[in-house]
Amino acid sequence: CSSDLISRMINLKKYTKACVFASMMCVCGLVQAQTSTVEGWDFQTEYLRHNKSDKHVDNYNLHVYTHLWNNDYLSLYGGGIATIADGYMDREERNNSDAVGIGPSVMARLEFNPFGNFYAGLEAAGSMRFFTKAHPAGGRCYDFLWQVGPRLSYKFGNYTAVGISAYYAHASNGMNSHNPGYEMKGLALDVEYKF
């Protein structure tokens, strides 16, 4: 009886995934293919709050990107990040994980134009950050920050666009030792401007 129930649950999961995928394809077919990019500079500021109770590290980030390439749906950007990290990794020890970091960053946006000057889509970014000290406590003086989340934006003509993104983020240095990674969630505001 239990194996039959498990089999039904697996089939229900497959059915649900198929329905979600089909719905997304229908929605994509109804919206216009166009990105909000103005082929200029993108200035993005964000607050990422710790996501686990035992790892209290928050990030305040500033990204500066320049437009590299786009087609009807996808835009690619390259640039840099400046970070202020604040907090600690262990509640009991209260070890200091405060640090300042900078480094290169890349970002991709997949967007659709549902109506008017409004755009909706998904944004993903990857950054390598070099810190003023080992960050977080017990780590190394560099890490990689990966971010992904939905984005809404509004385009003002051909020279300006503004957007808001909700991110899930992970930071770690990718090594087998001295790699106390942490997760965050947060919001980002950006302004893209063509000078």
Side-chain angles (χ1 to χ4, degrees):
C1 181
S2 62
S3 63
D4 186 42
L5 178 62
I6 291 171
S7 176
R8 284 187 206 166
M9 289 175 63
I10 290 171
N11 288 336
L12 181 61
K13 278 186 174 181
K14 288 180 181 178
Y15 177 75
T16 304
K17 287 179 184 178
C19 289
V20 169
F21 180 75
S23 300
M24 289 176 61
M25 294 308 291
C26 289
V27 169
C28 292
L30 296 174
V31 296
Q32 293 181 354
Q34 187 179 2
T35 66
S36 66
T37 185
V38 296
E39 299 183 11
W41 289 87
D42 193 292
F43 303 92
Q44 187 174 79
T45 181
E46 65 197 21
Y47 169 63
L48 299 175
R49 187 175 191 279
H50 62 275
N51 192 36
K52 293 188 176 178
S53 60
D54 60 336
K55 298 180 179 182
H56 287 258
V57 181
D58 298 340
N59 280 203
Y60 303 86
N61 299 326
L62 173 66
H63 297 264
V64 178
Y65 293 113
T66 185
H67 171 262
L68 299 176
W69 173 88
N70 71 280
N71 66 12
D72 287 342
Y73 293 99
L74 183 66
S75 301
L76 300 179
Y77 296 81
I81 183 174
T83 297
I84 298 174
D86 177 50
Y88 54 90
M89 289 294 282
D90 187 325
R91 179 188 295 270
E92 306 216 352
E93 292 182 16
R94 298 283 181 166
N95 50 16
N96 187 344
S97 290
D98 298 351
V100 176
I102 60 170
S105 184
V106 293
M107 188 245 309
R109 286 182 182 146
L110 180 66
E111 292 183 299
F112 303 97
N113 179 214
F115 60 90
N117 291 334
F118 288 93
Y119 296 80
L122 185 69
E123 186 170 273
S127 306
M128 184 174 189
R129 306 181 296 179
F130 299 92
F131 290 98
T132 53
K133 66 176 189 176
H135 170 79
R140 299 174 188 267
C141 64
Y142 72 92
D143 76 358
F144 298 95
L145 176 66
W146 305 104
Q147 303 167 246
V148 65
R151 179 174 188 266
L152 295 173
S153 62
Y154 185 86
K155 189 173 181 179
F156 298 91
N158 295 322
Y159 296 98
T160 308
V162 297
I164 183 169
S165 304
Y167 276 132
Y168 172 80
H170 173 77
S172 64
N173 61 41
M175 302 296 283
N176 290 329
S177 62
H178 302 289
N179 184 16
Y182 57 97
E183 287 77 38
M184 298 167 286
K185 291 179 181 177
L187 292 175
L189 298 173
D190 70 90
V191 175
E192 187 176 4
Y193 186 75
K194 185 175 182 179
F195 291 94

